[in-house]
Amino acid sequence: MKHDSVLARSFAHHQQKRLRYGAFACCLLLPLYFCTVLRPSLNLLVFSKVVTKNLEPICNVLEPRTNFCEINRDVRVDGKSSTVSIVSSQMDVLAGNSPWTIRPYARKEDKRPMNHTRAWSVKPVIGDQEIPRCSRNHSVPAILFSNGGYTGNHFHEFTDIVVPLYITSRKYDGEVQFLISDLRTWWVAKFQAILKGLSNYEFLDIDKEAVHCFPSITVGLKRHPKDLTIDPSKHSYSMKDFREFLRNTYSLKRTNAIRIRDGQRKKPRLLIISRWRTRCFTNLRQITKMARTLGYKVTVEEADRNMSRIAQVVNSCDVLMGVHGAGLTNILFLPENSIFIQILPIGGFEWIATNYFGVPSRGMNLNYLEYKVSKEESTLKNDPHTTPIRGWEGFKSTFLNAQNIKLNVNRFRPTLLKALELLHY
């Protein structure tokens, strides 16, 4: 019994000693295991979360009318291959920033203009062999946009390019470089003052250029879903700000329209926007004579590419009238509280007239009046409602391109009287 007791105590002491050594060894091995096996995996997980959190999607394709990419890092723009390369790491690819194709014209829902807009590839590049070498370095951000699409139509030049360019570039206060794709030299000449008002640098005809490097870039333009509209809650600017920018750009003197008191001799100025190919006034002299008998000083002008001249003419007037068409875009230059009269030909112009000019004009602080011509005032020989009209091309060929307007001056007279009433205070 005594021998067994001594043996038991000896065994217990031996086991306890082994357990202590084993525990000590485990304490040494656990940190080593953590450092060599678990730590890299945890670092990768944490780094992935940080990258994914910090790397928001580069391109926004969810807007209803435009796609654009905002890239706030080193980029290489190769005009000859229509490629914007983003200097990236492997983690950028893991975070989901794969190549994009962008047509930088702000009317993506319409296939016709987009088919006339050059496509650009926006892609991350990894490794020295893939990264294009810079032929010229720039220290300011860039904005890449297209002169394609409906360029040549005065309305679309503003609503698809000029207003979106203002929204996209204004925050840089001139410290931004414009890269123009599908360049039309006449367009640049037409809007030269606006381009210089938004950028302190000479634009680049980027399609012809080698690799240019920038610290950041926006490919495409931001815009409001509605035409000739800016949402101040989203873009920090409003149409009031844009119109003030136009007044400063073209040195326009008048901010507000004339206010008339009873017995005052000063006459308000009426501007009639004329057209010479379609939707023309066929009795312009008769309209002018009637307006003068009501007390207006009348000016007749047709919109052209001389932006400075037309801006000065429009800004000098208190009332502007014209048949629905691109020339009415020049209401942008009217003084505030002016009167805008849009004349609608027959054929169902209500929706486009309201959305293209009616609603936007109210956002410009203008008073909007609308006059719908009767069948007797249109030169269409046959009643169009008896002939099926198929699609936009049918509407365009029948109602936009095939009718002129002979205003019934007696029927139109109350509209001009209403305009005078709105100018009184």
Side-chain angles (χ1 to χ4, degrees):
M1 290 290 292
K2 186 176 181 180
H3 174 74
D4 292 341
S5 177
V6 172
L7 183 63
R9 286 196 300 270
S10 175
F11 178 77
H13 178 75
H14 180 70
Q15 287 291 94
Q16 289 173 7
K17 198 172 183 180
R18 287 183 61 188
L19 287 172
R20 285 197 295 271
Y21 286 142
F24 181 71
C26 286
C27 289
L28 292 175
L29 289 172
L30 277 174
L32 181 63
Y33 176 79
F34 178 81
C35 292
T36 59
V37 179
L38 293 180
R39 183 62 182 271
S41 298
L42 288 173
N43 282 346
L44 182 61
L45 178 61
V46 171
F47 187 52
S48 296
K49 287 182 178 180
V50 171
V51 169
T52 304
K53 182 178 180 181
N54 291 338
L55 287 178
E56 297 179 357
I58 288 173
C59 296
N60 184 341
V61 297
L62 300 179
E63 297 288 329
R65 307 194 73 179
T66 186
N67 293 335
F68 60 89
C69 305
E70 291 186 289
I71 307 161
N72 295 312
R73 70 182 83 174
D74 183 11
V75 292
R76 316 292 170 92
V77 183
D78 186 352
K80 294 181 180 179
S81 66
S82 301
T83 302
V84 177
S85 299
I86 312 163
V87 179
S88 307
S89 68
Q90 184 66 37
M91 292 311 302
D92 293 343
V93 178
L94 292 176
N97 283 321
S98 54
W100 306 79
T101 298
I102 297 292
R103 296 181 185 271
Y105 183 78
R107 207 174 192 85
K108 73 175 187 180
E109 79 284 359
D110 192 336
K111 292 182 179 180
R112 285 172 296 176
M114 301 312 286
N115 288 336
H116 298 286
T117 302
R118 192 179 193 188
W120 284 75
S121 175
V122 178
K123 63 179 185 179
V125 292
I126 303 168
D128 293 338
Q129 293 182 348
E130 288 190 44
I131 298 174
R133 297 184 63 182
C134 302
S135 62
R136 182 178 171 188
N137 286 285
H138 301 262
S139 60
V140 297
I143 295 175
L144 193 159
F145 64 95
S146 174
N147 260 178
Y150 286 134
T151 299
N153 178 289
H154 190 60
F155 170 77
H156 287 289
E157 287 167 1
F158 267 97
T159 198
D160 300 347
I161 302 178
V162 175
V163 175
L165 184 61
Y166 173 85
I167 292 172
T168 310
S169 67
R170 192 58 172 163
K171 67 178 182 179
Y172 296 109
D173 195 25
E175 288 301 301
V176 63
Q177 175 82 59
F178 292 154
L179 314 179
I180 306 179
S181 185
D182 307 304
L183 180 73
R184 271 70 165 169
T185 54
W186 61 261
W187 184 91
V188 171
K190 177 179 178 179
F191 291 104
Q192 185 177 26
I194 288 176
L195 294 174
K196 288 185 175 180
L198 293 174
S199 173
N200 299 330
Y201 303 87
E202 190 69 23
F203 71 90
L204 292 176
D205 182 359
I206 195 60
D207 296 344
K208 299 178 181 179
E209 294 288 331
V211 180
H212 285 254
C213 297
F214 296 91
S216 63
I217 191 172
T218 301
V219 181
L221 299 175
K222 303 174 185 179
R223 68 164 292 170
H224 192 280
K226 295 180 180 179
D227 293 311
L228 297 178
T229 303
I230 301 175
D231 182 356
S233 65
K234 186 175 182 180
H235 299 298
S236 302
Y237 303 102
S238 65
M239 282 305 293
K240 182 180 178 66
D241 297 319
F242 178 65
R243 283 175 22 92
E244 180 65 25
F245 165 75
L246 292 179
R247 280 195 289 270
N248 292 333
T249 298
Y250 293 106
S251 302
L252 305 181
K253 297 179 180 179
R254 302 181 70 216
T255 302
N256 294 287
I258 190 174
R259 305 301 289 172
I260 303 173
R261 294 181 180 179
D262 290 338
Q264 187 176 348
R265 292 184 178 182
K266 192 172 182 179
K267 295 182 178 181
R269 294 176 64 94
L270 168 65
L271 173 61
I272 302 176
I273 298 291
S274 63
R275 300 173 59 90
W276 63 275
R277 286 188 297 181
T278 64
R279 285 160 282 148
C280 312
F281 291 119
T282 62
N283 61 332
L284 193 54
R285 289 184 180 180
Q286 192 178 8
I287 299 168
T288 301
K289 182 179 179 180
M290 182 269 292
R292 286 174 177 153
T293 63
L294 297 180
Y296 286 102
K297 185 176 182 179
V298 182
T299 301
V300 179
E301 286 285 345
E302 183 175 351
D304 57 26
R305 291 181 181 177
N306 189 333
M307 292 296 298
S308 180
R309 186 190 67 82
I310 196 66
Q312 295 289 341
V313 171
V314 173
N315 184 253
S316 70
C317 295
D318 308 290
V319 181
L320 182 149
M321 62 172 279
V323 181
H324 174 83
L328 298 186
T329 310
N330 292 309
I331 60 174
L332 286 163
F333 303 112
L334 280 172
E336 298 209 8
N337 300 307
S338 297
I339 318 298
F340 167 42
I341 305 171
Q342 182 174 198
I343 297 169
L344 278 59
I346 64 171
F349 279 78
E350 286 77 10
W351 188 90
I352 58 174
T354 298
N355 288 279
Y356 284 17
F357 297 114
V359 172
S361 71
R362 296 188 181 101
M364 301 175 201
N365 198 24
L366 304 178
N367 296 288
Y368 177 64
L369 298 176
E370 200 171 85
Y371 178 84
K372 298 177 183 179
V373 305
S374 63
K375 186 171 66 174
E376 291 72 26
E377 293 172 283
S378 170
T379 59
L380 284 177
K381 295 180 180 179
N382 300 318
D383 186 351
H385 297 94
T386 63
T387 306
I389 303 298
R390 297 182 180 179
W392 169 253
E393 291 301 324
F395 177 84
K396 181 179 177 181
S397 61
T398 302
F399 299 117
L400 288 175
N401 296 342
Q403 71 171 312
N404 292 321
I405 306 299
K406 184 179 181 179
L407 275 186
N408 181 329
V409 292
N410 292 324
R411 184 171 180 264
F412 182 66
R413 192 171 185 271
T415 303
L416 287 182
L417 288 173
K418 178 64 176 177
L420 282 175
E421 180 184 327
L422 290 171
L423 290 172
H424 274 76
Y425 71 101

